[in-house]
Amino acid sequence: MKYAVETFDLTKNYGDFTAVDKLKMKIRNKSIFGFLGPNGAGKTTTVKVLTCLALPTSGTATVAGYDILENPNEVRQKIGMIPQMVSLYGDLTVKENIHMCADFYGVPEDLIESRADELMEMMDIKYAENKYVSQLSGGMKQKASVVASLIHQPDILFMDEPTIGLDPTTKRILWNLVEELHSEGRTIILCSHDMYEVELLCDDVGIINNGVLAAFNTPQALKDAMINEQKNVKNSKRSNIAKIVEEIQKEATPEEYAAYDKIKDHAEEENRDTRQLSVIISNLNDELFNQLKNLSITYNITKQSSGRITLDILDSDESVTEVISTIIMNNGIITSISTKDPSLEDVFVKVTAKKKEGGEI
Amino acid sequence: MVETKKLKWIFKKDIMVLWRHKPRLISYLLFPIIMITLFGYGFGGTVTDIPVVIVSQSSGPVTDATINAIKSESLYDVTSIINDPNQGRQMVLNGQDKAAIVLPPNYDDTQSSTPKNVILDIDSSDEIVSSALIPTTQALFSQLSNQIGVQQLQASGLTPSSVSSSTINVLSGNQSTILSNPTTSGINFENIVNSINFQVNKLYGNISYIDFLVPGVLALVILFSCMFGMGESIAGERERGELARLFMTPTSIATVVGGKILSKLVQETGRAILLIAVAIGLFGIVIAGSMLLTLLLLVLVALCFVGLGMMISARVSTQADYQQIIQPITLPMMFLSGVFFPVETMPWIFQKLAYLIPLTYANDALRAVMLKGAGLGAIWLDIVVLLGFTVLFFGLGIRGFNRDI
């Protein structure tokens, strides 16, 4: 099976509102897929439909090789879900909830105890197995929910914002679990607003906006595409302005020609390819600062009291080398250096910028 | 100190929430209208229009005057006039009429001194009807007796002032009691003045008010428990996301609903047994019919109301909506079903509505078994109707069950 999930014009309407609009998407088997989207974009609705918790209005999908409309029970047997909108029974203990879920999934009786113990140990919840779920904290409830969702060893695990509201330690436990499940060959579909989490864990990322898949690729490819797009936009702007100015200059007087040249230079300067470099120099002094400021590849430079300087430099590998060489030649001591490339968050903001009016899904 | 701005917001918020939940709002407005209509038109005054059959074995002016007198009383609704006492009694036993007023063959014979034995065969399982019908009928015939007696005395040249009282024989089961027996100046006026012997024949013996209430209360307890319970069980679990956990697994709606029904049935049967035990222990009620049949009926009633609760809760997403929606269903049902007021005495529109309510059949069947000692043969129609309602509720409930989370 090449794809764990494949959707075919999947659509879900709530009255007049289209939450998911003819969605076409393929999620590779055994991958960790990050499913992103702004609030109300159709992310949770898509997950509900894929997990057979809601029927699509039209279109269909296959999950684990089974059609969600024709074989919903086979789909349910193959998937697990750590959901936002689902809870365990508050008046049952953690253990009772897990055993109940195991029976609902048809886990053989002799395997339930050992699997439950193993998962509870892994999620660090074993010590609370006899507590009522209603007595647990949010994080503990989430851990118990994870155990209940994995008790039948699903091939595909849907996680809908699983780390929201969790402390950093619990987050790491969940991330480790995701990686472990991935290494066992399971497919993970992770809905999240935490871009760090998605970049850290996911092989592929899909961004849904207004019910439509707006972007789909690996996180790095999405970022690269954004860098290239930014460059292309700037190149195009530069080229267009140059063409217009040259056209005007054909009939200009020498004084006007020089003035138009200045306009062209300014436009080129405004649209040049730059990147941001951040350097911490422990022994930064005015002389070194001025040296860096006067470099031909430096366009903007700011200094902070901590010794950190931020430079906008010409976007080329040589530019970074030139900055480092200058610092070293002036006996500067570099304690930290980083370049600022577009992040997945930048990609997300750009892709989802165009938001039509609509209600919460 | 009350902060007015915040107070205003809290008030405004509650009104806005109610306005935005249309089913809740409709139900909220409908409920008081239904209740006031029921009480205003149905249960606002005394009991009237009790269906009775008159068994007339004689003919003549006295019989005609008596029938007219009965017909003119708003308490009675004379459904038929026949001449066979056994048929009249059977009509009461069948539940067609609440009482049979049996006029004897010598009723029109004003010359004879033989007492006229008027018998009231009454359905004593209906306490409300009995307590209204017996004293009124008794008074009516006492008055008629005096009038006939006065006519006889006048015919004999005597004055009515010499009459002191009337004789009433009240037959209760096998007991007969002479209330008074006057004689004056050596003339036996008894046969003249007290020309009517009025006998009450309680077909199901003496039934106390608590005996009368218990079957209806049992059905009511089951109704409320099932209806409120199913709200928590389905709408509540849906609201908290617990139901979604079950629906994430390869589990059919029928399984989930079946499990909930089973649990509710066990709870309700247990509660019904407890209620019967308490009623027997504390109030000494007697179940005239089969205990097993009573229990089976209670299970069927519970099943029916679980179905009704399930049908409603399957379509709503919050408990608050559910509670508001069932209010205008359950409370009118309580008053229309005959638990407290006889269906036969209600305005015709309410009578028609009563027969669309499962509680009416539950109440009827339970009273028949518990008070009249009826068997399966006598209540089969109630059972069929209850089964029909149950199938309908479950069918609609499962069909309309919203599995979407």
Side-chain angles (χ1 to χ4, degrees):
Chain A
M1 189 174 56
K2 194 174 175 187
Y3 298 110
V5 173
E6 196 169 356
T7 66
F8 306 94
D9 288 329
L10 194 70
T11 303
K12 176 73 181 176
N13 296 335
Y14 290 103
D16 294 336
F17 178 65
T18 303
V20 180
D21 193 5
K22 293 180 183 168
L23 184 70
K24 291 188 184 79
M25 183 170 70
K26 291 174 181 176
I27 299 173
R28 285 187 294 128
N29 198 23
K30 300 180 182 178
S31 67
I32 304 179
F33 174 71
F35 197 30
L36 310 180
N39 295 327
K43 201 168 65 249
T44 300
T45 305
T46 305
V47 170
K48 277 186 195 174
V49 174
L50 293 177
T51 52
C52 303
L53 283 173
L55 284 171
T57 308
S58 65
T60 188
T62 58
V63 177
Y66 293 103
D67 191 290
I68 56 166
L69 293 175
E70 287 171 14
N71 311 98
N73 278 340
E74 283 76 4
V75 172
R76 291 182 185 115
Q77 188 65 50
K78 291 283 179 187
I79 63 169
M81 189 175 179
I82 300 165
Q84 254 185 312
M85 64 287 184
V86 176
S87 68
L88 296 171
Y89 281 99
D91 293 329
L92 298 187
T93 65
V94 171
K95 196 174 177 179
E96 286 164 346
N97 266 294
I98 292 166
H99 277 243
M100 189 174 113
C101 282
D103 281 338
F104 268 73
Y105 281 114
V107 177
E109 205 61 40
D110 54 330
L111 292 179
I112 296 176
E113 196 73 33
S114 58
R115 269 195 209 171
D117 284 350
E118 189 187 337
L119 285 164
M120 282 193 286
E121 293 284 2
M122 193 191 288
M123 292 308 297
D124 191 25
I125 189 88
K126 174 81 176 143
Y127 67 95
E129 65 178 349
N130 291 320
K131 280 192 174 176
Y132 291 119
V133 167
S134 58
Q135 296 173 332
L136 304 180
S137 67
M140 285 167 80
K141 279 181 187 162
Q142 188 69 317
K143 287 178 182 179
S145 178
V146 170
V147 176
S149 301
L150 292 174
I151 193 72
H152 61 300
Q153 298 184 329
D155 290 344
I156 303 170
L157 182 65
F158 288 85
M159 303 174 93
D160 192 7
E161 298 185 29
T163 55
I164 202 161
L166 297 185
D167 64 65
T169 313
T170 312
K171 267 188 190 179
R172 276 163 207 274
I173 291 174
L174 263 179
W175 292 344
N176 290 339
L177 175 81
V178 169
E179 282 173 341
E180 193 166 329
L181 292 170
H182 183 228
S183 69
E184 287 172 7
R186 300 182 206 283
T187 306
I188 317 288
I189 295 165
L190 174 68
C191 298
S192 181
H193 287 303
D194 184 339
M195 298 299 149
Y196 174 72
E197 180 176 88
V198 173
E199 279 201 77
L200 180 77
L201 297 171
C202 297
D203 304 318
D204 295 321
V205 169
I207 301 175
I208 189 170
N209 194 32
N210 300 326
V212 177
L213 195 63
F216 187 105
N217 217 320
T218 63
Q220 193 54 51
L222 286 173
K223 289 190 286 186
D224 290 346
M226 188 169 175
I227 295 168
N228 289 333
E229 196 182 318
Q230 283 174 343
K231 280 184 180 174
N232 289 339
V233 168
K234 284 183 176 177
N235 286 338
S236 166
K237 272 188 186 171
R238 273 204 314 266
S239 155
N240 286 343
I241 292 167
K243 271 184 197 166
I244 292 164
V245 170
E246 279 162 15
E247 200 61 36
I248 297 167
Q249 280 176 327
K250 281 180 187 170
E251 293 174 8
T253 62
E255 292 80 19
E256 286 171 338
Y257 195 96
Y260 286 127
D261 257 353
K262 279 187 181 171
I263 292 171
K264 197 165 73 176
D265 290 346
H266 180 72
E268 279 196 356
E269 206 168 292
E270 282 288 302
N271 292 294
R272 73 170 59 85
D273 291 332
T274 58
R275 69 195 307 184
Q276 204 176 63
L277 191 66
S278 177
V279 190
I280 298 175
I281 303 165
S282 60
N283 56 345
L284 181 69
N285 53 40
D286 289 346
E287 192 187 338
L288 176 55
F289 183 76
N290 288 329
Q291 286 272 345
L292 291 168
K293 192 179 177 181
N294 294 329
L295 289 174
S296 63
I297 46 105
T298 304
Y299 299 108
N300 273 317
I301 182 164
T302 54
K303 184 172 69 175
Q304 291 168 1
S305 56
S306 59
R308 178 190 291 277
I309 53 170
T310 307
L311 307 99
D312 284 339
I313 59 170
L314 195 67
D315 185 14
S316 70
D317 294 341
E318 294 78 19
S319 301
V320 179
T321 312
E322 197 174 333
V323 170
I324 294 170
S325 307
T326 307
I327 296 167
I328 291 169
M329 280 191 300
N330 286 277
N331 299 319
I333 299 165
I334 300 171
T335 54
S336 163
I337 184 163
S338 61
T339 58
K340 187 176 180 291
D341 290 324
S343 64
L344 192 58
E345 192 162 315
D346 295 325
V347 175
F348 178 88
V349 170
K350 185 176 178 301
V351 168
T352 60
K354 200 179 160 196
K355 191 176 189 316
K356 70 178 176 188
E357 282 185 14
E360 185 74 18
I361 296 173
Chain B
M1 189 184 129
V2 176
E3 296 161 276
T4 50
K5 199 169 181 179
K6 294 175 188 174
L7 184 137
K8 200 172 124 191
W9 256 114
I10 292 165
F11 163 77
K12 193 174 151 187
K13 188 252 2 157
D14 283 351
I15 299 294
M16 281 158 71
V17 168
L18 180 63
W19 180 252
R20 287 171 188 175
H21 285 75
K22 291 296 184 251
R24 209 187 290 179
L25 178 70
I26 292 167
S27 169
Y28 180 82
L29 296 174
L30 212 57
F31 177 61
I33 297 171
I34 291 173
M35 291 309 285
I36 198 71
T37 309
L38 278 179
F39 279 96
Y41 291 113
F43 317 111
T46 51
V47 177
T48 58
D49 298 309
I50 298 172
V52 294
V53 54
I54 297 175
V55 180
S56 171
Q57 301 175 86
S58 62
S59 62
V62 181
T63 302
D64 292 344
T66 303
I67 291 172
N68 286 336
I70 294 170
K71 279 182 171 177
S72 66
E73 283 279 342
S74 63
L75 181 70
Y76 309 101
D77 172 19
V78 179
T79 58
S80 50
I81 299 170
I82 57 172
N83 52 25
D84 181 359
N86 289 330
Q87 191 190 347
R89 187 184 164 95
Q90 201 54 48
M91 285 166 84
V92 179
L93 287 170
N94 290 344
Q96 283 173 261
D97 291 289
K98 288 290 178 185
I101 300 170
V102 184
L103 306 179
N106 65 342
Y107 194 69
D108 253 275
D109 182 4
T110 50
Q111 304 306 315
S112 162
S113 60
T114 314
K116 302 166 179 57
N117 292 319
V118 173
I119 300 168
L120 179 71
D121 284 329
I122 192 161
D123 175 0
S124 55
S125 72
D126 193 330
E127 169 65 21
I128 303 279
V129 165
S130 300
S131 58
L133 215 50
I134 292 173
T136 308
T137 313
Q138 204 167 334
L140 179 77
F141 279 99
S142 172
Q143 198 183 351
L144 287 168
S145 174
N146 278 340
Q147 283 172 4
I148 295 168
V150 167
Q151 282 172 14
Q152 284 180 330
L153 286 170
Q154 282 170 342
S156 316
L158 293 168
T159 56
S161 57
S162 47
V163 179
S164 61
S165 67
S166 63
T167 301
I168 303 294
N169 280 350
V170 179
L171 272 180
S172 174
N174 297 323
Q175 285 184 316
S176 175
T177 312
I178 304 286
L179 297 179
S180 63
N181 188 14
T183 56
T184 308
S185 311
I187 302 168
N188 187 359
F189 288 100
E190 189 185 320
N191 293 333
I192 302 171
V193 178
N194 309 313
S195 56
I196 296 175
N197 273 345
F198 182 73
Q199 299 174 358
V200 177
N201 188 13
K202 295 184 175 179
L203 295 182
Y204 301 109
N206 276 323
I207 288 175
S208 66
Y209 191 61
I210 184 74
D211 288 330
F212 166 75
L213 270 188
V214 165
V217 170
L218 268 174
L220 269 185
V221 167
I222 291 174
L223 166 74
F224 282 104
S225 176
C226 290
M227 293 296 280
F228 285 102
M230 288 314 280
E232 153 58 26
S233 188
I234 294 180
E237 287 192 11
R238 186 194 294 281
E239 194 176 0
R240 290 191 297 275
E242 293 164 348
L243 207 59
R245 170 67 66 183
L246 304 185
F247 285 142
M248 274 164 47
T249 65
T251 308
S252 65
I253 291 172
T255 305
V256 173
V257 170
K260 292 197 171 293
I261 291 165
L262 198 62
S263 125
K264 205 73 198 145
L265 273 185
V266 170
Q267 291 172 44
E268 289 317 313
T269 309
R271 229 145 78 122
I273 292 170
L274 183 69
L275 191 62
I276 292 174
V278 170
I280 292 172
L282 291 183
F283 305 107
I285 69 146
V286 177
I287 295 176
S290 155
M291 179 63 97
L292 181 66
L293 188 55
T294 305
L295 282 175
L296 287 175
L297 265 177
L298 291 173
V299 171
L300 176 60
V301 172
L303 196 63
C304 185
F305 293 132
V306 164
L308 179 59
M310 196 271 286
M311 185 182 81
I312 299 167
S313 64
R315 288 165 186 268
V316 299
S317 48
T318 68
Q319 261 206 91
D321 279 349
Y322 177 83
Q323 302 293 1
Q324 196 64 54
I325 289 168
I326 63 163
Q327 263 187 29
I329 297 172
T330 48
L331 283 174
M333 208 189 272
M334 180 169 97
F335 292 108
L336 284 173
S337 62
V339 172
F340 298 112
F341 307 97
V343 173
E344 295 82 358
T345 64
M346 293 177 196
W348 72 270
I349 182 74
F350 291 166
Q351 287 190 37
K352 302 290 173 203
L353 285 173
Y355 292 114
L356 297 174
I357 291 171
L359 188 62
T360 307
Y361 300 93
N363 186 41
D364 192 54
L366 282 168
R367 279 201 179 135
V369 175
M370 293 175 73
L371 302 181
K372 301 177 187 175
L376 208 53
I379 57 163
W380 68 270
L381 189 60
D382 289 322
I383 291 176
V384 168
V385 175
L386 282 172
L387 279 172
F389 273 118
T390 307
V391 171
L392 178 76
F393 293 151
F394 279 109
L396 291 174
I398 290 181
R399 199 172 160 194
F401 202 98
N402 188 4
R403 191 172 178 143
D404 281 15
I405 302 304

